[in-house]
Amino acid sequence: MKIEILKNVLEVNDNLANDIREKSDKSKTLVLNMMSSPGSGKTSILEKLLPKLLFNGIKTGIIEGDITTTRDADRIIGNEIPVVQINTEKFGGDCHLGSEVVKPALDQLHYEKLDLVIIENVGNLVCPAEFDTGADKNIVVISVTEGEDKPLKYPLMFRVCELSVINKVDLLPFLNFDMEQLTANIRQINPNMEIIKISAQTDENVDALLKWIQNNLKN
Amino acid sequence: MHELSIAQNIAKIVHQEYLKGNFQSDIQVVHFSAGRMNAIIPESLLLNFNIVKRNYNEMKQAELIIAEKEIIIKCNVCLREYVIQEPVFYCQNCGSSNISILQGKEMYVEDFEL
């Protein structure tokens, strides 16, 4: 006997993500989900960005996702910005943040009182692309040391994101790296992708990222 | 590694539907389909499902059958539809970037058999 189901495997996750967006629309809180490979510089970008956000009076909270350890949260927390760390270890060592773990973290931040929440997802270009966190916009960070072919290898990631931040451009003089090829590869996957090139190390062009965030704030 | 979460979701959905039916016999087969955009590794999904299913009495014998769905895009300008093999999200006919993905990024529990 065959019993038809036809149910979306991610339905529960997607529904909860939509609830999060409904609430953040009401409170006019912009929720960003930042994804990348491990070591692309997500935390370093936040370290440069957070003082600028504070200086501009943008009330910000951070959600840090890691499989284990609180290393990233420890680096951020000196900045007088509320941080909630999610370790996915107790959820089975997940390689991504699902909306079911993001929701309690957002509540803990009292995100309805904030202008901006940045979720630093688990370093991984496959799984986080799949699971809607409830963020308004997805950002992918790619560093120039990773090679030009990443967008072609991880197309879903580059489809679900609206902004590519290309990091570590200060290393370009030392690398055999073809920037035009990378941007062409990104646009092949997602022709409407916005691209910002920065160096979190030297602070080069981090202001452009700040400006992008300011332009997307809901109030 | 997302295969673990996906396996857990599959088992949960099948279990909920099984409970609704008041069935007497155990589940033999579960059909699951995933689009190529999802980058699922079938071997890994099977391995994870075979561990997760042990939590459910009716599913202990169940075999998971995975079907891969091709990526189909539609151009919103010239209205052509294509199956694509490579991730090129431009219309191959008119060059427009205004395209929709009709199929290839969804994951469904299709049915189960007793």
Side-chain angles (χ1 to χ4, degrees), chain B residues 41-92:
Chain B
I41 301 166
E43 293 81 1
S44 170
L45 183 58
L46 283 177
L47 179 80
N48 282 297
F49 181 78
N50 287 335
I51 295 166
V52 170
K53 71 182 184 184
R54 294 182 204 152
N55 295 326
Y56 302 94
N57 279 330
E58 76 280 7
M59 230 177 291
K60 287 194 164 122
Q61 304 299 320
E63 182 193 357
L64 183 70
I65 296 181
I66 303 166
E68 196 181 69
K69 293 264 175 80
E70 291 175 308
I71 303 171
I72 303 176
I73 63 169
K74 181 185 179 183
C75 174
N76 295 319
V77 177
C78 72
L79 304 178
R80 286 222 190 169
E81 290 180 17
Y82 304 89
V83 172
I84 57 169
Q85 303 299 331
E86 296 295 318
V88 180
F89 295 95
Y90 278 108
C91 176
Q92 293 157 28

Side-chain angles (χ1 to χ4, degrees), chain A residues 58-74:
Chain A
I58 299 166
K59 280 179 279 170
T60 307
I62 302 293
I63 296 175
E64 278 290 340
D66 265 310
I67 291 178
T68 180
T69 83
T70 59
R71 285 185 76 93
D72 283 354
D74 296 344

Side-chain angles (χ1 to χ4, degrees), chain B residues 90-101:
Chain B
Y90 278 108
C91 176
Q92 293 157 28
N93 183 45
C94 71
S96 166
S97 61
N98 181 4
I99 58 116
S100 309
I101 300 176

